[in-house]
Amino acid sequence: AVSWFEKNWPFFSWAIFLFGSGVLAALWRVRDRRWYGWLSVVMYCLHQSEEHAYDLRGWRYAFVPSLNLGPIAEIYKEICAGS
């Protein structure tokens, strides 16, 4: 069984992205190194949400199946077939 948090953690990243975007927009005039550092955190949260919550096609948790059908599958085909 999968816990509630395991099913819903990507949406926490989405919330951090929304909140962080608002904070960064409010501090737009003060774009120093710290601002750009937090921009990377906010964009990473967006990336996590898009990759693991719902992707642009509307598929939930589409990252793992698409990774397993892509070039990674060819690289590890022999290893996975032996187990």
Side-chain angles (χ1 to χ4, degrees):
V2 178
S3 71
W4 180 88
F5 185 77
E6 288 174 316
K7 283 196 268 184
N8 294 300
W9 71 264
F11 299 105
F12 288 104
S13 289
W14 182 248
I16 292 168
F17 164 73
L18 290 175
F19 178 76
S21 295
V23 170
L24 290 174
L27 299 172
W28 177 254
R29 296 178 190 225
V30 189
R31 289 186 310 244
D32 56 0
R33 281 194 242 175
R34 188 176 306 165
W35 189 90
Y36 284 106
W38 280 107
L39 176 63
S40 66
V41 171
V42 167
M43 294 310 294
Y44 184 69
C45 286
L46 173 65
H47 165 71
Q48 286 294 309
S49 295
E50 187 274 331
E51 196 169 73
H52 294 288
Y54 291 99
D55 68 0
L56 296 174
R57 298 169 293 192
W59 297 358
R60 181 119 192 232
Y61 281 111
F63 175 72
V64 174
S66 66
L67 182 70
N68 288 336
L69 294 175
I72 299 293
E74 288 298 317
I75 294 171
Y76 293 106
K77 182 172 27 177
E78 292 177 16
I79 296 170
C80 293
S83 47

